[in-house]
Amino acid sequence: MQLWKKNFFFVVLLFQILLFTGLFAFVSYSFQQSLTKDVALFKQLRGESDFLIERVTEEFASSHTQELVQVINEQQQFYFQVANNRDGTLFSSIPKDVFLEEEKSYTMDRLSVKKRNEKTYLLYIETKEIGEETFEVFFIKDSSSVYLEQNQRIRYSLLFGILFSIFLSGVIYWQMKKIYRPVQNLAHELRTPLTLISGYSEYLMRLKTTEEEKTTMSQEIFQEAQQLQEVIEQLLIMGDLTDGTIKMEQFYVSELFQNLSHKYPKLQLSISGEKELRGNRVLLLRLFDNLLDNAFKAAGNEIVQLTISGKELELVNAGKRISDSQLKKMNRGKKLSVSEYEGSGQGFLICRQIVLLHHGKITIHSDDKQTKVNISF
């Protein structure tokens, strides 16, 4: 696995740990606050119900008392039951479907939290001395809404975490790939001049050569070193890895092919109504050199035709047909796999990036007879 992909997985994993830890802390804190408020309300209602309990014990729940209790039941979902050892249950506002003996329970600050099916209740039992009699009072409050809100909060938090993780993972992946691409391009472009410099240097060291041969090879090494420096500078600019702006100037594209005529003597150039182009000479020279090099490799000994018309160029060469799947990837700016391309698969990507930097468009077409590259600035 490539190093940048390992870094991507590490960054995404670390981010997800931090994100879901933060969401868990937020959800837990929110639930604690909601439950604390509900318990405080329960205690307040329990304190305010003392006058009702006294009336219940005195009057055994008159009609007026029952009306007050019903209002509390409906508005606050707060119930209570009064009982003593002598008469048993004196009054109860607890609904029939609420049982004091629940399936699950736990204690919290002298309160019992009772769970049955999908309902959750707060239960508090205390003993009250009224007159000479002792009464046992059961206070119950339905707190299911607090737990229901917590479940919804957990679901929404998980959904948000998953969607945000997917979105941010895509952004991080795209950015890391964008940063890594100039490194791939750099490796591809440096391979040829470094090979030549290494070969000439080894030839000079191992073999006996004449002064004329030494001078010729030294000049080649110097030229390749200069080209190497230009390649590094242009790729750093393309990858936004260096400060400064790309130097633009007005010139005719055909002027650049004068620098390439000695390298590609079989190039057949046709010019019709050419217009000046505003661009960077070094980058465009790299663009055309890369395209011509690939064209002549594919064509073998055949002639390669280049037509310049206005601000449009058309490069045509014979050779092996490029498959539709490869063409689709190349025209969309995607890297070819090793099995699809003899080299690193970066050449056309570099060309495409240079054209895009000049606000142009490049497309490639291929059939059994020829391969055609069209560039429009």
Side-chain angles (χ1 to χ4, degrees):
M1 182 182 291
Q2 294 173 323
L3 180 60
W4 75 272
K5 290 185 178 179
K6 292 182 180 179
N7 292 335
F8 164 74
F9 286 118
F10 173 76
V11 170
V12 169
L13 178 62
L14 180 62
F15 167 76
Q16 288 186 343
I17 291 174
L18 293 175
L19 174 64
F20 285 100
T21 300
L23 289 174
F24 174 77
F26 168 75
V27 169
S28 300
Y29 176 77
S30 300
F31 174 67
Q32 183 181 9
Q33 292 296 106
S34 300
L35 191 59
T36 300
K37 290 180 181 179
D38 203 54
V39 170
L41 178 61
F42 179 54
K43 291 181 178 179
Q44 178 183 352
L45 292 172
R46 182 168 53 83
E48 293 175 354
S49 64
D50 286 347
F51 79 98
L52 288 175
I53 295 170
E54 291 179 0
R55 295 191 64 175
V56 164
T57 56
E58 292 174 0
E59 306 174 14
F60 290 93
S62 65
S63 59
H64 181 63
T65 303
Q66 291 182 359
E67 290 176 1
L68 289 176
V69 172
Q70 184 177 0
V71 171
I72 294 176
N73 292 347
E74 293 176 353
Q75 294 184 354
Q76 305 293 345
Q77 293 183 317
F78 174 76
Y79 317 106
F80 65 91
Q81 175 179 297
V82 181
N84 60 13
N85 294 332
R86 184 185 63 188
D87 301 312
T89 300
L90 302 178
F91 177 82
S92 177
S93 66
I94 301 175
K96 295 180 180 180
D97 59 341
V98 178
F99 300 93
L100 297 181
E101 296 297 330
E102 304 297 340
E103 295 176 352
K104 298 179 182 178
S105 67
Y106 57 91
T107 303
M108 178 187 65
D109 188 25
R110 297 181 64 191
L111 291 173
S112 294
V113 179
K114 300 288 185 178
K115 290 179 177 284
R116 184 172 181 85
N117 298 330
E118 297 181 357
K119 291 286 187 178
T120 304
Y121 303 95
L122 297 178
L123 170 64
Y124 187 89
I125 304 176
E126 68 176 3
T127 303
K128 285 185 174 289
E129 299 288 340
I130 301 177
E132 297 181 356
E133 291 192 62
T134 301
F135 298 89
E136 193 174 39
V137 184
F138 297 82
F139 298 95
I140 293 181
K141 185 178 186 306
D142 186 354
S143 296
S144 302
S145 60
V146 176
Y147 288 84
L148 180 61
E149 288 176 1
Q150 174 66 0
N151 291 334
Q152 292 177 343
R153 199 178 289 122
I154 291 174
R155 287 195 294 268
Y156 290 146
S157 297
L158 285 175
L159 180 61
F160 169 79
I162 292 172
L163 293 178
F164 191 69
S165 295
I166 293 173
F167 168 75
L168 197 62
S169 297
V171 173
I172 294 174
Y173 181 85
W174 181 77
Q175 288 293 336
M176 283 191 166
K177 190 173 182 180
K178 182 181 178 182
I179 293 171
Y180 180 71
R181 178 171 289 179
V183 178
Q184 291 178 308
N185 294 342
L186 188 64
H188 173 76
E189 286 294 309
L190 296 183
R191 186 175 292 111
T192 300
L194 284 176
T195 301
L196 291 173
I197 291 173
S198 177
Y200 281 131
S201 301
E202 185 178 4
Y203 186 76
L204 285 172
M205 288 187 298
R206 294 190 177 186
L207 299 178
K208 293 181 179 181
T209 57
T210 64
E211 289 298 323
E212 184 179 355
E213 289 175 331
K214 287 181 180 179
T215 302
T216 302
M217 285 185 284
S218 298
Q219 289 176 347
E220 290 290 340
I221 291 174
F222 178 73
Q223 291 176 359
E224 292 297 331
Q226 282 190 317
Q227 183 180 358
L228 192 61
Q229 185 176 0
E230 290 181 354
V231 170
I232 292 173
E233 289 297 328
Q234 73 187 29
L235 288 174
L236 289 178
I237 292 172
M238 289 171 61
D240 294 328
L241 300 177
T242 186
D243 295 330
T245 57
I246 300 175
K247 182 181 178 181
M248 296 289 188
E249 55 183 310
Q250 294 285 137
F251 59 90
Y252 289 100
V253 172
S254 58
E255 298 174 9
L256 299 179
F257 292 99
Q258 296 176 2
N259 300 324
L260 299 172
S261 59
H262 68 286
K263 189 174 181 181
Y264 305 106
K266 290 187 177 182
L267 176 64
Q268 189 177 75
L269 181 61
S270 176
I271 303 174
S272 174
E274 181 184 9
K275 295 181 180 179
E276 275 192 324
L277 174 70
R278 181 173 176 78
N280 181 273
R281 288 179 181 269
V282 175
L283 290 177
L284 290 178
L285 186 62
R286 171 56 49 191
L287 164 68
F288 300 133
D289 188 22
N290 206 329
L291 289 176
L292 289 174
D293 183 62
N294 288 334
F296 276 102
K297 284 180 180 177
N301 295 323
E302 299 292 331
I303 292 175
V304 174
Q305 296 178 341
L306 175 64
T307 303
I308 301 176
S309 177
K311 292 185 179 181
E312 297 183 358
L313 292 86
E314 183 179 82
L315 183 66
V316 180
N317 66 270
K320 185 179 178 181
R321 178 185 179 183
I322 303 174
S323 68
D324 293 337
S325 61
Q326 288 176 275
L327 287 174
K328 190 174 182 180
K329 284 187 177 182
M330 295 170 73
N331 287 324
R332 290 186 175 182
K334 295 183 178 180
K335 180 183 174 182
L336 299 179
S337 63
V338 178
S339 61
E340 293 175 320
Y341 192 76
E342 294 179 357
S344 66
Q346 294 295 327
F348 192 78
L349 287 180
I350 295 172
C351 295
R352 190 172 185 273
Q353 288 182 24
I354 294 175
V355 173
L356 291 177
L357 282 173
H358 289 80
H359 308 288
K361 181 180 180 181
I362 181 171
T363 55
I364 183 169
H365 309 275
S366 184
D367 54 33
D368 295 331
K369 295 182 180 180
Q370 62 184 15
T371 295
K372 184 187 298 183
V373 177
N374 293 99
I375 304 175
S376 176
F377 291 105

